Amino acid sequence: MTMRIAIVGAGPAGLFLARLIKKTMPETHVEVFEQNPRDATYGFGVTLAGAARARLGEVDPEVQARLEEAMVFNSTQAIVLDDESILLKYAGAGGAIERLNLLTILERLCEEVGVTPRYETRVDSKSDLTVRGLPSELGDYDLIVGADGANSEVRAMMGSGFRMTTRTLGNHFAWYGVGKALSPNALVFRHYEGGVFIAHYYAYTANMSTFVAECDADTWTRCGLDKMTDAERKALMEEIFSPELEGETLLENKSIWRQFTAQVAEDWSCGNAVLIGDALRVAHFSIGSGTRLAMDDALALHDALAGCEGDIPAALAAYEADRRPNRDLFTKATVKSFEWYENIAVRMQTDVASFAHDFLTRTGRVDDKRLERYAPEFYRDHVAPRLEREAAVGGRRG
Ligand SMILES: Cc1cc2nc3c(=O)[nH]c(=O)nc-3n(C[C@H](O)[C@H](O)[C@H](O)COP(=O)(O)OP(=O)(O)OC[C@H]3O[C@@H](n4cnc5c(N)ncnc54)[C@H](O)[C@@H]3O)c2cc1C
């Protein structure tokens, strides 16, 4: 029997899934529905770490090769704490790519295997898709994949079906771009007029950078951002981070100031609907992994479908069993990471080396031992001497 699969959302998760399914199971009928026009998206550049790219390469070398051709690579990052800074040199190079370019490449790779996404086609409860358990009109899809991001309509269509846990954070942020490759990549933490402000920026092409600006909840009201327009907030960021922007202005693309809503679905599937990517859990931007988690979900769902011999409930159970441990691990790391940022004013009351160490180890996934491999120079200059001092003190006590 030919499987009929509807994928809602042509983000990285939906496009990669469509490509994989059509490539390895060409007899499957796959449709991708995307609400936006072909060349529209939010944001600027995103990062894709080396391990994630290598994993893509194992299953689809063409995807890895084409993405890497369009990426810029960098293995350094400055941590700036007011007037002090430290340059971290990582063992592996992080890759960054323009989000629109990433989507264009994936879309082309879909077309090459025979899937053409249907743009400007929003799926909602009135759509021509059958979702079991809901009043529905026409349609006969065996599987509906919610790859429709943080505000998933597939999730909403199922009511409480996916049992969401939702938490709105106190910090406020906006995603900007800069028309220049800022160098080095940096995370800047700055006191300014009684508030604390953060800029996270990195180059993603030879002449463009992503620039995420953030402030904590107290700063938002204390410095009057709550009463400003987005244009005034942008001007304020340009003033605070003028040393880093070197005369550049911040560019906007749906760059609205907002609070991040952390969301996790307890149920992975409901009837014949299943979630992948941000629809399943929104990865906070401070861990820079949302795109790869979305693509890893797509890969796991593909593998489960490829091995299920048409038994979709079995495939959905296999997909969840495969991905849940990783999802839960990352959810814990995400919470630790955003809580670190939520308490940034307290964290900033130290010297830059201690602050950088605190930043690097904030999620608990990197400890001193792993730091030795991950950021060897930082380990040598700042961690090893401290460990030696602590061992000497311990030795004297013993
Ligand atoms: C400020 C910021 C910085 C980030 N930086 C990084 C980074 O450096 N690295 C990284 O890996 N990730 C980053 N992310 C996260 C990353 O963008 C997401 O995790 C990733 O895009 C998730 O992919 P997705 O395919 O699940 O969802 P999305 O990319 O959100 O795609 C969902 C698609 O579904 C479409 N859609 C939604 N509803 C419907 C509907 N009803 N009908 C049809 N179509 C619909 C949307 O238009 C969209 O195209 C960042 C996010 C933010 C907010």
Side-chain angles (χ1 to χ4, degrees), residues 8-14 33-36 42 45-47 99 121-124 147-151 153 173 175 202 212 258 276-279 283 285 288-292 294:
V8 183
F33 301 91
E34 169 55 50
Q35 63 183 2
N36 284 335
Y42 61 87
V46 293
T47 52
R99 185 176 145 89
T121 308
R122 182 174 162 79
V123 169
D124 56 32
D148 49 348
N151 302 315
E153 186 66 30
F173 75 97
W175 194 352
Y202 53 86
V212 181
R258 61 188 173 101
I276 61 175
D278 270 14
F285 50 87
S289 300
T291 306
R292 82 152 159 101

